[in-house]
Amino acid sequence: MAIIFLLLFVLVPVGVSASAISRSYRIDGSPSKGNLVSLDASQSGVGHLANITNSSDLLGAVVGQDDSLLVIDPTDGTVEVAIGGTAPVLVSTVNGDIKVGDLISVSPIIGVGMKAEEGLPVIGRAQTAFTAQSTTGTSRQITDKNGKTKNVQMGFVSVEIKINTSPEGTAPINTLQKIVKGITGRVISTVRI
């Protein structure tokens, strides 16, 4: 036991705040830190910025290399995507204010999350709050599908990544399953792993 503690102490310096497990992907578009990403089912190691239309393949959130405790398959020209742990996620108030403990899902805004709606896959649970009155965000005007304009606040919340957790109660996948999903692109039962 003392050897394991010593090994962890050597590998993780005191004061390190990174807590995400990430994997490298080529991401179409211009991903920024905190953007939500969905897997491209037709190409290995490729993803797209996530929104409601491609949410069934939700993968994780873009992070910097320094934000990860463990990086799987680091490759030049790729982006790190948090598939486990805790990571900052870009969100909006398009579906209302976000409280600590709220589930965060994809939104109609490409790459941006929101307070979860029933039936949408979610990336995880908010560890910090974000409201329309938050001073750390920026205000954006969006137009909904009915042509109505609405002001929304956009900013970051810390999210505990648990892909496939849903408001309807779908069982979350564990960390080992997330790592294997990041490598294979699909969820495999713990027993099979």
Side-chain angles (χ1 to χ4, degrees), residues 70-140:
L70 174 63
V71 178
I72 300 169
D73 195 22
T75 310
D76 288 340
T78 60
V79 174
E80 299 307 316
V81 177
I83 57 174
T86 303
V89 172
L90 182 61
V91 294
S92 74
T93 57
V94 72
N95 200 28
D97 292 346
I98 297 169
K99 300 181 299 272
V100 173
D102 282 346
L103 294 174
I104 305 299
S105 72
V106 295
S107 76
I109 304 169
I110 294 173
V112 179
M114 69 178 184
K115 182 177 176 180
E117 266 183 17
E118 189 170 326
L120 286 177
V122 299
I123 189 162
R125 196 169 294 277
Q127 303 299 301
T128 55
F130 186 77
T131 69
Q133 291 75 36
S134 293
T135 58
T136 58
T138 60
S139 184
R140 298 270 196 255

Side-chain angles (χ1 to χ4, degrees), residues 117-181:
E117 266 183 17
E118 189 170 326
L120 286 177
V122 299
I123 189 162
R125 196 169 294 277
Q127 303 299 301
T128 55
F130 186 77
T131 69
Q133 291 75 36
S134 293
T135 58
T136 58
T138 60
S139 184
R140 298 270 196 255
Q141 191 172 54
I142 61 168
T143 304
D144 68 15
K145 62 183 175 187
N146 299 323
K148 294 181 181 178
T149 59
K150 178 180 179 180
N151 283 326
V152 296
Q153 194 76 353
M154 293 175 62
F156 290 90
V157 295
S158 179
V159 173
E160 180 184 359
I161 307 289
K162 286 191 178 178
I163 308 280
N164 290 337
T165 305
S166 82
E168 299 161 339
T170 301
I173 62 176
N174 63 41
T175 303
L176 181 58
Q177 288 175 303
K178 288 178 203 170
I179 292 169
V180 171
K181 180 183 178 189

